[in-house]
């Protein structure tokens, strides 16, 4: 990587961090009283702002690094309550998928399952708590009740939420691949070259709980990186090591076609999706593209779907410069900023920030 790439990488990480930091303190925190008196309005406001911010990282890496987004397969429908499953090739897949959800105009409705220790990170963690993302301890005894409550809210909401789940449980790397291969061999499962064997417990729980409310479809997304792979996660971002191309193939399954009330059949259904993914990825890395039918050869997104990038880039950068300027010249702004940080730290550390609106509605 060149010095220019490193500078770009530092700019990317700084902009994403400081925008989430200022967003949580200057944009989100003032709306907290609405969570108490008008929780529905609060939720709409927060979802809009989080969805808008989720367009910023794709705008940055597409405009600055020239990352090309290639999407094939079925359309990701806005007016559906759905579960999205995907392979976990890198630690950053969730962020790279924002290029797809942004163009499909579903970013505001997207919820992601993250590691529990991320929720207390200033800026990013606080914003994700405002957005009611999922934070798991990775201990099922602790996570089961937590997931049940959150999924029940999504499934019974009037909004069409989309929950992103990585059934493999962790990203693909030599250590996790060896562990997955060993377990798969013990269970007598077919060898997977491009994937980890999926873990079925969390996925099956999501499906069963979603079905207690509204589940229209399950979307199976297969991700591939034909050139540069950011295998070191955040360190690659800092050094400016971004993928030149991100390919995603989307397959939609109607919820009525997914096994119901039978754990063995549901687990088998998930494994079958992974065996299909394996074949897809084998074809991709042999031919450089996912196979598409004649009806899918049209552009997945229209040219207008790219129009969000420059406005988002300019608006967020202008907002950041304005806030930085006010922090420099205004004692009142600095006092508020200190108050906001203390308040968010206390709310986060005491568990009061996450799902505040849902608790107030009860």
């Amino acid at each position: 990587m060149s010095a220019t790439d490193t500078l770009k990488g530092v700019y990317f990480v700084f902009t994403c961090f400081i925008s989430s930091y200022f967003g949580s303190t200057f944009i989100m925190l003032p709306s907290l009283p609405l969570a108490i008196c008008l929780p529905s309005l609060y939720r709409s406001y927060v979802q809009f702002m989080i969805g808008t911010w989720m367009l910023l990282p794709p705008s940055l890496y597409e405009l600055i690094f020239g990352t090309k987004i290639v999407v094939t397969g079925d359309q990701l429908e806005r007016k559906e309550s759905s579960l999205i499953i995907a392979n976990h090739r890198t630690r950053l897949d969730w962020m790279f998928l924002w290029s797809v959800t942004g163009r499909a105009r579903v970013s505001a409705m997207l919820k992601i399952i993250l590691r529990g220790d991320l929720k207390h990170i200033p800026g990013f963690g606080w914003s994700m708590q405002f957005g009611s993302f999922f934070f798991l301890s990775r201990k099922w005894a602790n996570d089961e009740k937590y997931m049940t409550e959150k999924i029940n809210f999504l499934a019974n909401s009037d909004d069409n939420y989309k929950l992103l789940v990585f059934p493999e449980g962790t990203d693909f790397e030599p250590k996790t691949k060896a562990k997955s291969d060993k377990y798969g061999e013990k269970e007598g499962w077919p060898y997977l070259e491009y994937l980890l064997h999926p873990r079925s417990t969390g996925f099956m729980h999501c499906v069963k709980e979603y079905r207690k409310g509204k589940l229209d479809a399950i979307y199976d997304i297969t991700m591939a990186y034909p050139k540069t792979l950011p295998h070191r996660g955040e360190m690659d971002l800092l050094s400016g090591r971004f993928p030149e191309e991100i390919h995603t193939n989307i397959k939609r399954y109607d919820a009525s076609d997914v096994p119901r009330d039978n754990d063995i059949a549901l687990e088998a259904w998930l494994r079958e999706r992974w065996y299909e993914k394996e074949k897809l990825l084998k074809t991709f890395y042999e031919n450089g593209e996912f196979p598409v039918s004649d009806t899918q050869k049209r552009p997945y997104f229209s040219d207008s779907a790219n129009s969000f990038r420059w406005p988002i880039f300019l608006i967020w950068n202008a907002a950041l410069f304005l806030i930085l300027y006010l922090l420099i010249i205004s004692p009142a702004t600095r006092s508020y900023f200190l108050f906001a940080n203390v308040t968010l730290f206390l709310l986060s550390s005491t568990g009061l920030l996450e799902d505040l609106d849902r608790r107030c509605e009860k």
Side-chain angles (χ1 to χ4, degrees):
M1 296 290 106
S2 67
T4 302
D5 288 331
T6 300
L7 287 173
K8 290 180 180 178
V10 170
Y11 168 73
F12 175 89
V13 172
F14 173 79
T15 302
C16 289
F17 169 73
I18 205 69
S19 60
S20 67
Y21 193 20
F22 287 169
S24 59
T25 50
F26 287 94
I27 297 175
M28 297 300 190
L29 182 61
S31 70
L32 270 185
L34 288 176
I36 300 171
C37 56
L38 294 170
S40 179
L41 179 59
Y42 166 83
R43 193 155 44 244
S44 297
Y45 171 78
V46 167
Q47 286 171 178
F48 174 78
M49 296 310 304
I50 293 288
T52 302
W53 180 82
M54 287 168 65
L55 297 175
L56 178 61
S59 300
L60 291 171
Y61 61 69
E62 290 182 35
L63 292 174
I64 296 173
F65 292 95
T67 300
K68 179 182 178 182
I69 308 300
V70 181
V71 186
T72 55
D74 297 328
Q75 293 292 321
L76 190 59
E77 297 293 339
R78 295 181 64 198
K79 297 181 179 180
E80 286 186 332
S81 177
S82 56
L83 192 65
I84 300 174
I85 57 175
N87 59 309
H88 209 349
R89 186 61 186 87
T90 81
R91 289 170 57 181
L92 302 169
D93 296 318
W94 50 271
M95 181 181 71
F96 293 136
L97 274 173
W98 291 352
S99 286
V100 179
T101 59
R103 287 172 167 81
R105 295 187 296 166
V106 299
S107 294
M109 295 294 106
L110 182 67
K111 305 299 178 186
I112 305 174
I113 297 178
L114 301 168
R115 294 199 324 266
D117 57 340
L118 296 177
K119 70 188 296 183
H120 300 301
I121 297 176
F124 174 81
W126 295 343
S127 295
M128 297 303 102
Q129 286 189 70
F130 275 112
S132 297
F133 281 40
F134 288 50
F135 297 93
L136 302 186
S137 66
R138 295 190 177 182
K139 294 180 180 177
W140 187 241
N142 300 330
D143 293 333
E144 183 177 7
K145 181 181 178 182
Y146 169 85
M147 287 188 66
T148 297
E149 291 178 353
K150 298 203 52 137
I151 293 172
N152 284 342
F153 174 78
L154 299 184
N156 289 285
S157 170
D158 293 333
D159 294 315
N160 294 304
Y161 289 108
K162 291 94 173 62
L163 177 61
L164 173 61
V165 179
F166 294 101
E168 292 164 318
T170 187
D171 58 298
F172 186 109
E173 60 179 14
K175 187 181 295 185
T176 57
K177 182 67 169 69
K179 186 177 179 180
S180 175
D181 289 346
K182 183 178 180 180
Y183 187 74
E185 184 179 0
K186 177 184 175 183
E187 295 294 322
W189 297 331
Y191 173 75
L192 299 177
E193 181 179 356
Y194 303 101
L195 300 163
L196 306 180
H197 290 286
R199 303 175 186 179
S200 58
T201 303
F203 166 77
M204 292 193 298
H205 187 73
C206 288
V207 173
K208 287 188 287 187
E209 291 303 322
Y210 240 114
R211 276 178 159 158
K212 293 178 181 179
K214 179 175 63 172
L215 177 64
D216 297 312
I218 297 178
Y219 288 90
D220 181 12
I221 297 183
T222 303
M223 302 191 67
Y225 305 85
K227 298 178 182 179
T228 299
L229 181 71
H231 58 86
R232 296 185 302 157
E234 294 78 5
M235 293 305 298
D236 279 327
L237 299 185
L238 275 170
S239 63
R241 193 173 189 270
F242 281 74
E244 293 87 352
E245 297 180 12
I246 301 169
H247 291 245
T248 60
N249 181 268
I250 302 175
K251 181 67 180 294
R252 181 189 180 278
Y253 295 90
D254 195 275
S256 62
D257 296 330
V258 179
R260 178 187 290 271
D261 302 325
N262 187 325
D263 287 356
I264 295 175
L266 185 55
E267 180 178 6
W269 183 89
L270 176 64
R271 297 206 176 281
E272 187 60 33
R273 302 290 74 73
W274 249 245
Y275 300 148
E276 290 177 0
K277 276 183 186 294
E278 178 75 8
K279 294 177 183 177
L280 267 178
L281 288 167
K282 185 176 188 297
T283 300
F284 178 86
Y285 286 110
E286 287 176 351
N287 303 326
E289 61 182 10
F290 286 116
V292 294
S293 65
D294 290 338
T295 58
Q296 295 174 338
K297 288 183 179 178
R298 56 176 172 72
Y300 187 92
F301 291 115
S302 64
D303 290 339
S304 62
N306 298 321
S307 62
F308 70 88
R309 295 180 300 184
W310 276 111
I312 290 293
F313 177 86
L314 294 172
I315 290 170
W316 272 103
N317 275 276
L320 296 182
F321 277 114
L322 175 61
I323 293 172
L324 285 169
Y325 175 72
L326 290 174
L327 284 170
I328 292 171
I329 69 165
S330 171
T333 303
R334 292 194 294 272
S335 297
Y336 168 79
F337 188 53
L338 176 61
F339 163 79
N341 276 273
V342 172
T343 301
L344 287 171
F345 173 80
L346 292 174
L347 289 173
S348 178
S349 59
T350 56
L352 295 175
L353 181 58
E354 185 181 0
D355 296 324
L356 177 61
D357 57 315
R358 183 161 58 85
R359 292 197 301 273
C360 290
E361 274 188 326
K362 289 182 179 180

